[in-house]
Amino acid sequence: EGSPRRGRLSLTMAPTQVDSTKLAAPASSEGAASSSAGAAPDDEPPDLPFDMFSMRKPKNLIAGASSGLKSALKGVVGGTVGLIAAPIVGAQTQGVGGFFTGLVTGILGAVALPVAGAAVGCLQVTRGAINTVEEVVESNKGKDWDQEKREWYEYNLQTDAQLASQLEDEAGGGAGGGGGGGGG
């Protein structure tokens, strides 16, 4: 549930500004085979090096504030780096015309990235504040937070022990239960 909200907000650059042969696909154990086939699973866009802002569900207000602050800082740093790097890259690849194209791109990025970072930051803080209520309710029910799936779950040791016992009985026909015996 909520898979479209999971993941990262992706910012992409126009193909004329980036030499795609110099970009390396991010290494990840998940989805490596599918990315080599050219299609992303579940119609999600492939991970690109331009993923900047985390859109993962924050557990509570503290996690939301942390994520929000990181997003705002990434926006400011990304805008600053783009303002400096875009004209340089443009000049190196396309000469004087590329410098001015890069300058315009850098200025646009220097404005857009901090604004986007601030917007995502506000969103994450708000989501964290809302999720704080959920945290109180769910933790009072005895549920735990799954850091990877970003959701609350109920863990019951007795139920898991019964399931494990049933699986053991089905798999081995009850073998192995009854002590260590043996010898002679």
Side-chain angles (χ1 to χ4, degrees):
E1 180 183 332
S3 106
R5 294 181 181 254
R6 203 174 49 174
R8 301 175 108 36
L9 178 64
S10 180
L11 297 177
T12 58
M13 297 176 80
T16 57
Q17 297 170 352
V18 176
D19 183 2
S20 62
T21 60
K22 294 181 181 177
L23 297 177
S28 72
S29 60
E30 186 175 89
S34 65
S35 64
S36 64
D42 300 325
D43 295 329
E44 290 183 22
D47 288 335
L48 296 173
F50 306 111
D51 290 350
M52 291 184 64
F53 306 114
S54 174
M55 294 297 292
R56 294 173 15 152
K57 178 181 179 181
K59 177 181 179 182
N60 54 27
L61 180 60
I62 293 170
S66 172
S67 176
L69 182 60
K70 289 176 192 174
S71 292
L73 287 174
K74 286 178 185 179
V76 170
V77 170
T80 303
V81 168
L83 182 60
I84 295 166
I88 294 170
V89 171
Q92 288 176 343
T93 58
Q94 299 172 349
V96 175
F99 171 81
F100 287 109
T101 302
L103 185 61
V104 170
T105 303
I107 291 170
L108 290 174
V111 173
L113 288 175
V115 169
V120 170
C122 289
L123 174 69
Q124 288 296 88
V125 171
T126 302
R127 289 174 71 196
I130 292 168
N131 292 344
T132 299
V133 175
E134 181 185 24
E135 176 190 31
V136 170
V137 170
E138 298 298 331
S139 62
N140 282 335
K141 290 180 183 177
K143 292 186 177 182
D144 293 314
W145 177 252
D146 185 331
Q147 193 72 12
E148 194 172 305
K149 293 182 181 177
R150 315 300 291 174
E151 63 187 19
W152 292 95
Y153 69 96
E154 188 172 286
Y155 180 74
N156 186 325
L157 186 58
Q158 289 177 336
T159 304
D160 281 355
Q162 289 172 350
L163 277 172
S165 177
Q166 287 174 356
L167 289 173
E168 221 174 68
D169 289 345
E170 290 173 7

